[in-house]
Every structure is written in C-alpha cells, then in structure tokens.
Amino acid sequence: MSNVIGIGASPKRKEDQRFLTGRGNYVSDIKRPGMTAGVFVRSPHGHAVLRGIDKAAALASPGVIAVLAGEDTAADKLGSLPCGWGISDAKGVPMKEPPFPMLAQGKVRFVGDMVAFVIAETPEQANAGAELLKIDYEVLPSVVGVLEAVRPGAPQLFDDVPNNICCDWELGDKAAVETAFRKAAHVAKLSLVNNRLIGNPMEPRAAIAEYEPGTDRFTLWTTSQFPHVVRFLMGALVLNIPQHKLRVVAPDVGGGFGVKQFHYGEEAVITWAAKRVKRPVKWVASRSEGYVSDRHGRDHVTEAELALDENGKFLAFRVNTLANMGGYLSTFGPNIPTNLYGPLLGGVYTTPAIYCNVKVVFTNTVPVDAYRGAGRPEATFVLERIVDVAASEMGIDRVEIRRRNMIPKEAYPYQTPVLVQYDCGDPMGCLDGALVAADVKDFGVRKAASASKGKFRGLGYSTYVEACGLAPSRFAGRLGARGGLYESATVRVHPTGQVTVMIGTHNHGQGHETTFAQIVSDKLGVAFENVDIVFGDTDRVQFGMGTYGSRSLVVGGAALSKATDKVIAKGKKIASHLLEAAEVDIHFESGKFSVAGTDRMKTFEEIAGAAYVPHNYPLEVLEPGLEEQAYYDPVNFTYPGGCHIAEVEVDPETGTVTLVNYTAVDDVGTVINPMIVEGQLHGGIVQGVGQALFENAVYDEGSGQLLSGSLMDYCMPRADHLPMMKVATHSTLCTHTPMGVKGCGEVGTIGSPAAVINAVVDALSHLGVTHVDMPATPNRIWRLLQNASLPVAAE
Amino acid sequence: MKPFAYHQPDQIPDAAKLLTTIEDSKLVAGGMTLIPTLKQRLASPPALVDLSKLGSLKGITDDGATITIGAMTPHAVVAASKLVQTKIPGLAALASMIGDPAVRSRGTIGGSVANNDPAADYPAGVLGLGATVITSTREIAADKFFLGLFETALEPGEIITAIRFPVPLKAGYAKFKAPASRYALVGMFVAKFADAVRVAVTGAGPGVFRVPPMEAALSENFEPSAIAAIKIDNDGLTSDIHAEADYRAHLVTVMAKRAVDAALS
C-alpha cells in the first residue's frame, strides 16, 4: 500500500510540523478562565531554622488572593513527597527516609527549598506580594560536599540521620574481591569526582491546576515525563485525591532529560491551592528558579581499584563512592547511584569479582536525581577511566587491554557478578568498527601536525555497555522499586481504517509520534499519515509509566507491537468469516487479509468497516469494534553499548581543550528510524561532552549558595564547541524485546564523558598527567600543567 | 519587572533634563544589561529615558586622523563598518566578538562604555586606543573616564554622545572568552601609534587598566616576543569559579601576545 513508512525508514518527524511553525501546545501556552498566577517563595539560605512567616503585608498587597505556607499544608494533613525507591544497607536496614514537605516545615535545607506560595491576579502582583513576605530564618551552617557532609561535626540536616548518611549500600562479593586483590600482579587506583550537573531543558517547568466543584474533579497540566505516575504519587500519597477524580495532562513538553520525571512539590501545592482559592492557578518557573529547584544530576566522589594479573586480565574491581542526594530524597533519588550504578560496573569485560559500596549522603543542595544516563554514565566513567590508568601503568596499549578483557560475542548471554545478565552484544565488533571510522591508524600524523602548531593531541576510547528499557518489574521490586515499570498501549482502529494509538510513554523531543507511527504503519500496512499517537493525558491514555531510562521504544514500543498483533489476530477472525475460510488459512500482509493460495482478500479498511458495521459479522463469537490493548513488562533490561572515540587538541598556553573529532559506533538493536536514532546519539553525545568539558554546578561550602546559578556561569555545550560527529550503528538484536530494539536515548551520554577525558589525559600523558577531573576547563588544565611544574610550550 | 514610566525624548537636553529631574531614573540605550536586570527585579527605576529617538547619536564619521562613533551605534554596525575595518580593524574585530548576534544588533557602544562592566570588550578598545568620550557637556579622555567596577567619570544627567578614536598605525584585540557568558575572561587591546604603544586589559580585574611595562617593551619592539616574559602581578585581579587570579595574570601575557599578532596580521 502506498504511504506505508515502515521500520528502517527515515521520514521527517510528524511532530516537527507543529513545533517548527510555532503551533506546539506547551503548559505555559494554556489559559483557563479566571486563571490566577502563583509564585513560589524559596529559601535564600542553604540551611536555616524557619522560625515564622508574617503574611500580613503580602496579603494586603494589591491583587494578592492567598499566601500558603507549610503550616497550611500541615493543617490540611497533606502527605510528604514520596520516594519511589526504598533501598537498604547490607544488613537489610532500610534507608533513612525523612519527610520531604512540599512547603518547608521547621527547617529549610537548600537554597530553593519552597517556603511559601503567593497567589495573585497577575504574575506581577504575585511577585510584588512575595517580596513583602516577612520570613524569620535562623541561619545555620550549610554543608554541600559529600566528603564534608560525612565528617564528624558536620552540620546535620536531619536529627535522626547521623552523619547525613541516608544509606550505606553495597553490592557484590566483598570477600571474593579481597581474595582476588591479594593475588593481583598489579593494582590500579583512581580517585575521581563525577561533577554535579543541571539539566537545563529548553522549556522551564510549569504547571496549571483547576478544580471543578460540579464534578469534584481536579485537572493538573504539568511539564512532566510521566503524567500517570504524577497522578498516582500526588493523588494517592500526597493530596489524598482518588485517582478517578484527578486528571494529569503533560502536553507538549520542551525537553526533559530526567529533570521532568519526578513528582515535584510545585505540582502538589498548585493542585491543592486551586481548590482552596476556587480558581485555576498557574505557575511558570523562570530559568533562575529552575537552577535552584530542578533536580540536579551526578555528584559523586569515588575511589576505585582494579586488580589485574600479569597479562592485564582484570581479576577484580572495587569501587567506593559517596553520592550526593541533596537536601531530601527525590522520586528516584536513592536508586540512581546504587541500582543504576553498581550493576554497570562490569562493563563489557569479564571481570569475575566486583564489589561496590555507595554511601548515599544528604547535603544542603538541590535534591539529586536521574539525569540522562542516571548512574550509568557515572559507572562507565569510573570503569573506562581506570582501564586506561591500568593500561598506562602496565605498559599495555589501551585498545589491547580492552580486547584482552572483552566479553566475546559468542559468550552471550553473559551473567555478570553484579546482578545483570546481558542477553546479547558485540563489543569487539563496535570497537573494530570505531577504530576504522575514527581513522585511528593515522592518528600519529594528526598528532604530529598538532605538535607543529604547539598543540597536544590526544585520543580517548570508551567501550561501554548500559542497562536500558526500565525495567523488569519483578527485578526492580527486589531492588526496592515501589512501583511497576511496565508500559501500556491501546491501538484504536477507526471504522475507516485510520489508527489512533494511546500510549503511556511521553514524547518530549524523542520523536515518538514518528517512530511509533512507523511501527504501526509497518505492521498494519496503514499509511504513515493515518496513524496518530496520543500520549500525556491520564483521561485519554489508559495507563503508563512514562518516558525515562531509554524505555519508550523498548517497553512502550513492545506494548504497542503486542497490541497491534492483537488487532491483526482479531482482523483475521473477521476476515475468516467474511471470506468463508478457516482462520488458519488467513494471511495478513501489506494491509491485506487473504486466503492462502487464492486471490480472495479483504483490505484492512474493509475489515475495520465490518468491525464497526457488523451486519455480516460473527457476533455470537466475536465482539464488534477493532481496538486492542496490551501491557508489556520486560523480562530483562536491554543492553545497548558501543565504542566511542574522542580526539582532542589541547592548547598548553591557555589550557583550552578543543574536541576535534568524535566517532561513535553503537549497538542499539533494531533501528526503527535511522535519522531519529542519529539525532538521539548526537544529542546524547553532546550532553556527555558538556559534562566532560564545560558543565559544573558549583556550591559555596558554608553558605550553600549556588555559584553557577545561571547560563552566565553554568556553561552548556554549544554548536561551536563541537566537531561534525561520525555516528554509526553496529547492532545485535535484543533477544527478548518484540522487535529486537534496545533503546538509544541515553547511550551517547553514557559513553562519551570517559572517551573525552581519556583523550585529554592521553594528550597530556607525556607530561606525567594521569587523570583530569571533569569538567576539563582551561583553568583546570592550565593549573594541572603548572602544578606539575611542566614546561609550557614556547612561543 | 516592576512598573516604570517610559520617556523617549528626541533632543539631548530633554533627555538630560529628565535624568536630573526624575530621581533614580535610568538611561536605556540598547538595554542589553538593563533589561535583564529589570526582568530579574534587581533594579526598579521609576523611569526609563530611552535614547533611541536621538538620531544625532547614531553613525560613524571619518575625521581624518580620528573616527567618531555615535553612542547609539550598535556593535554589529561597528563590526560591519568598512570605515572601521579599514582604519582600525582591531576595533571592528572587537565589536564582532561581543556577545552573540542578538546582543550585537541591539547593544550600543555608548551603553557598553557607560556601564563599564569589568568584563566588557569596548572599555579595552577605548582605553587601548586612548579614545575620547564625548558627552552632552564635555570631552573626557579615556584615561580619566574608567574609574573601576561599573564606575565612570560621568556626572548625574551626563549622556555619552559619541566616542572619538585616534587612528593607530596598528591595533589588535585578543579575547579569551569566559566559557559560559562569553564575556572577556581576559581581553587584551594593543595599539601602536607613531609616538607610543598602549596596552589595555579587560576582564582580568575590577575594571579596565593599562600595562605600562608591556607598553614600554612594545614601543621598543612591536613583536609578541617582546612581552612574552612580562608577567603582571596577581594582586587585585579577579578570582571566581571560572578562573583564579594567577590564571588571569597568565592569560594577560598570552592574550597580549596574540593581540600583537592580530595587530601585525
């Protein structure tokens, strides 16, 4: 059939028509009758006792309708913001889980902690009213770094969390690792910092809430990656609103990267407030507000040791990490540096024994949670860095040491010593492909050319694997998940044969409306333009866990594939009746149901029509209509991975690192839309390069002030920072997802930081440099060279 | 943004009068610093006096030994000016490095010089070329104009109308951009005249300043090598999360050499 655009094609993205012509529908575009404006008043202190709030002057300010604070939420017996994961220490003792009030009660614990909500007729009046609030703080010393937070005598955030340690978590066989270290011919050691990041989606967070007294229903429009989860967490656990009385809509959302996959206190306050003031309430964050309230990412301090035999075979890997949680536990907070970190420390290698200890630590900073990659970039960075350190110390080529330890393609499925079992992969194939694509054999020529200009050139490798497609619910449940992680899809075939899909994932830049339409077009033989994808509305979509962890295609796409199969199965029954043939003899291909060995057939449209006009229809055994639903819970994670090769040039005079070449060969399983996959890889790589070279969230110890609190001081990667990238796929097909897909949303971010830093270290290795912390800023590189008392290149 | 009155006079004396009669009122030229400050509610002047209707403040004129740039001339116009490119290419290059295209289209030379941001580019060009700041009431030599962090010799009600630049034999600007803001972490302007060399630094300290030892060395020999060994003192230089004072001091030498290179090329 014409206009079928199936799996493997690269049509232009359906959604771009509205985005590029300014017809998107974002939360801040939405206006409701009688809408009021809300402003959050946030703590200017990192740590303080909240002695009291005098609302009088604010309430008297023109246009101010209400001022709400923690005492009001307490009076209404509202719940604490819930954490979706409960982890435990080695003895099974659950993590410390202090309450996270939506508006501060008793104390504030980070700059940006919400203290009050001012509602007025206009945003200007709300701002003016907010400035008149008199808040009495008793300022306490702040602690912002994990090393400082666990020291005796450090400021304590919570009375019942000694040393600010939320959980002392571990994974792996500690004794086996110790035994292996005793036998090692060489032990490589590395101390590193994984820098704190701020996601900076282009669209700031925003929300509108409305209460309809006639139906006793609430509607919340919010910038969310998972509206159904917000409905559950907020309705069931915070505001005590029955699920059927709460609608959550996440319309077009301008980027998430994890920042929008949490239930935020702002959502709960606004929804609660809308009923109190009996009018819709709208809040749109400023960029500055986002910096101190959007959940941050990363922020680890790590000591790692790799034991090797005399041939450079890895015997054991030991990792001790302090992970920053910020001031409270966010939705996924404690899961990220533990369950999404430790199980990835095996990488693509056959390391037989691994032990990982993570101390999860509270500090006076914005809560830390998932940010693109979430735990897996941190694990990859530790592993891929220490492999380079070991290679350098043992005098083994960096590619060779990787080859000696890589899991061979034939050894899959491969059980790691850290819970996960990789179903398939070909890391050696990705490495070989990348070596060619990056023209590694002529690197020496390019290095000499750089040297002739007084520049140092370096090459860095990252051969990595990640766990995607979150997640098998049973597995996650054993690790502490408090919810399921399946996905659902409904395929609604209209009487005229067009298709509307209702799916529980959320599209905020990933191209789902295109990719999912291709799957349906391919499987049903329906024209690409005759498939619409509906998402982001709990009243329209049956259920869903949302989009994060590279799960949309892997889990949501699988549900969609299953639901589509059910449509075909029912269509065959209808066709069997209409064509007067046995059901087993009906074949469906290219949009036609035909009787095997004959030219008798019915089109997909004819079958759809018959299903809705059932005059000649087997009503005794088959319901009319053509709409099917499927839930899919994966049996395993998927394991995309690959090889990234970065090439940098360092100007020793200024310390500037320039990324001059970047090559990625990734195994993402089946590729539905190569253009979209390439775009995801580009974007992911850029975010990893951002972490490696530019981005750093810096707090002032003591005051808890965020020093990098705007785009003037927090450096996002820009187009002129980047070379043209060479991106290719070398796929093995996932053995357990319906289409063999593995997911591609995070691979770029996971593989790239280590590749870039390994390249920087390589460029400076002749000067004795063995490690560079991220971001490798000019100031940091220059200082490293100064401190090593090394000659700076001559004029 | 808080409410304010808005005035758009078409005569300089009217603008000056508004400024002196409305307490705490502010001039707005391109607004590239002021408008964000208003939006963040960090400033709330009762009135803005917009200079955009003052046609006499726009344009670039060739006076032979000098060129004069009207205070309301946007950076993009200076950068693209054939006259500036021919007579003082270093100044055109400087203008082309300010901010981003949007800022260069709106931001003006007068606004930049009057604001005297310690990391702005134009102060380096004005001081490095020994320019004259022409105001509604007088002429002020660059050496007397910049008084430190956001401080200038401007009196209340005094409005910059133009900057007059002497045409040098050679001049060059080299800027090490702060990674995020792209302001000058260190910006170096060097200018060679028949009788002297001037070297001005922006970004490194609380305000633009000259480097006499480099000027002396370059007067002897206008080559990068002449200043390669001259280090400025760290004292008084800025330290922040992007760069400590010693790194800025180091960059002063590196970027000065590159500015000389640019002037010679």
Side-chain angles (χ1 to χ4, degrees), chain A residues 456-614:
Chain A
F456 305 146
R457 203 174 186 100
L459 200 61
Y461 303 90
S462 171
T463 50
Y464 73 99
V465 65
E466 58 142 330
C468 268
L470 273 48
S473 292
R474 275 191 202 132
F475 185 89
R478 282 200 299 276
L479 297 180
R482 291 167 173 168
L485 290 153
Y486 45 81
E487 200 43 79
S488 85
T490 296
V491 175
R492 176 175 299 162
V493 182
H494 299 284
T496 44
Q498 293 94 356
V499 176
T500 301
V501 171
M502 274 67 69
I503 194 158
T505 54
H506 190 279
N507 182 26
H508 39 275
Q510 296 88 343
H512 296 171
E513 290 167 58
T514 303
T515 301
F516 291 154
Q518 283 179 249
I519 293 171
V520 174
S521 184
D522 192 286
K523 294 192 69 140
L524 295 183
V526 173
F528 176 66
E529 65 268 24
N530 286 342
V531 184
D532 264 6
I533 309 297
V534 172
F535 59 91
D537 183 342
T538 59
D539 269 12
R540 295 186 72 193
V541 177
Q542 58 290 344
F543 204 70
M545 300 308 294
T547 286
Y548 51 88
S550 306
R551 70 188 305 277
S552 299
L553 178 60
V554 174
V555 190
L560 175 59
S561 177
K562 280 182 65 180
T564 310
D565 288 341
K566 290 185 184 178
V567 166
I568 294 168
K570 184 168 181 183
K572 283 183 179 174
K573 290 186 197 298
I574 300 167
S576 146
H577 174 85
L578 294 176
L579 294 167
E580 296 174 336
E583 196 182 322
V584 291
D585 291 332
I586 304 291
H587 289 258
F588 180 67
E589 200 183 335
S590 303
K592 293 183 182 68
F593 294 88
S594 57
V595 182
T598 76
D599 59 358
R600 289 189 297 136
M601 63 81 131
K602 291 282 179 189
T603 65
F604 184 77
E605 288 77 8
E606 288 173 311
I607 296 298
Y612 288 97
V613 188

Side-chain angles (χ1 to χ4, degrees), chain B residues 34-243:
Chain B
L34 181 62
I35 302 296
T37 311
L38 296 178
K39 287 173 77 172
Q40 290 177 296
R41 302 171 73 88
L42 296 173
S44 51
L48 291 191
V49 179
D50 182 342
L51 301 181
S52 61
K53 279 284 189 292
L54 302 176
S56 62
L57 267 51
K58 285 184 192 148
I60 304 170
T61 54
D62 182 357
D63 319 314
T66 63
I67 61 172
T68 302
I69 302 177
M72 285 296 285
T73 310
H75 313 321
V77 171
V78 176
S81 160
K82 289 278 179 281
L83 176 63
V84 182
Q85 287 174 359
T86 308
K87 291 238 174 173
I88 322 179
L91 188 63
L94 176 150
S96 76
M97 292 182 218
I98 300 171
D100 53 38
V103 166
R104 290 195 290 275
S105 295
R106 288 288 311 169
T108 66
I109 188 169
S112 172
V113 170
N115 192 45
N116 192 21
D117 187 299
D121 297 287
Y122 263 131
V126 171
L127 186 65
L129 285 162
T132 301
V133 179
I134 303 167
T135 77
S136 49
T137 57
R138 58 181 168 148
E139 296 193 352
I140 309 169
D143 285 319
K144 307 252 183 221
F145 182 84
F146 299 105
L147 304 181
L149 193 68
F150 296 107
E151 292 286 324
T152 68
L154 290 170
E155 297 288 339
E158 188 174 10
I159 299 168
I160 298 176
T161 58
I163 316 281
R164 189 170 65 235
F165 292 93
V167 176
L169 299 174
K170 290 179 168 50
Y173 183 60
K175 174 182 183 178
F176 193 87
K177 293 175 180 176
S181 70
R182 303 208 167 175
Y183 272 88
L185 199 69
V186 169
M188 299 298 299
F189 200 96
V190 299
K192 178 180 167 64
F193 294 92
D195 56 344
V197 171
R198 293 174 69 97
V199 177
V201 186
T202 188
V208 64
F209 62 92
R210 290 170 63 186
V211 190
M214 287 187 176
E215 293 179 350
L218 290 169
S219 299
E220 294 295 317
N221 175 20
F222 196 77
E223 288 291 335
S225 57
I227 51 172
I230 299 176
K231 301 284 178 204
I232 70 160
D233 199 337
N234 301 344
D235 281 356
L237 298 191
T238 305
S239 278
D240 58 24
I241 60 170
H242 305 296

Side-chain angles (χ1 to χ4, degrees), chain A residues 228-305:
Chain A
H228 289 87
V229 181
V230 170
R231 182 178 66 171
F232 174 73
L233 295 175
M234 184 178 84
L237 305 178
V238 182
L239 298 181
N240 198 20
I241 301 170
Q243 296 290 288
H244 66 299
K245 295 294 187 188
L246 175 58
R247 176 186 180 197
V248 178
V249 185
D252 284 330
V253 170
F257 313 115
V259 165
K260 296 170 182 168
Q261 70 172 69
F262 317 121
H263 170 40
Y264 280 93
E266 288 92 341
E267 295 168 325
V269 170
I270 286 166
T271 306
W272 165 66
K275 185 174 180 183
R276 282 182 72 113
V277 302
K278 301 183 175 67
R279 286 171 64 182
V281 181
K282 180 175 190 172
W283 159 77
V284 179
S286 68
R287 177 68 53 186
S288 312
E289 193 174 7
Y291 269 90
V292 295
S293 63
D294 291 357
R295 304 302 180 237
H296 292 183
R298 319 286 194 255
D299 202 344
H300 289 192
V301 174
T302 292
E303 303 277 343
E305 296 168 282

Side-chain angles (χ1 to χ4, degrees), chain A residues 649-664:
Chain A
E649 200 175 63
V650 179
D651 175 356
E653 266 201 324
T654 62
T656 303
V657 176
T658 306
L659 183 65
V660 289
N661 285 314
Y662 200 93
T663 305

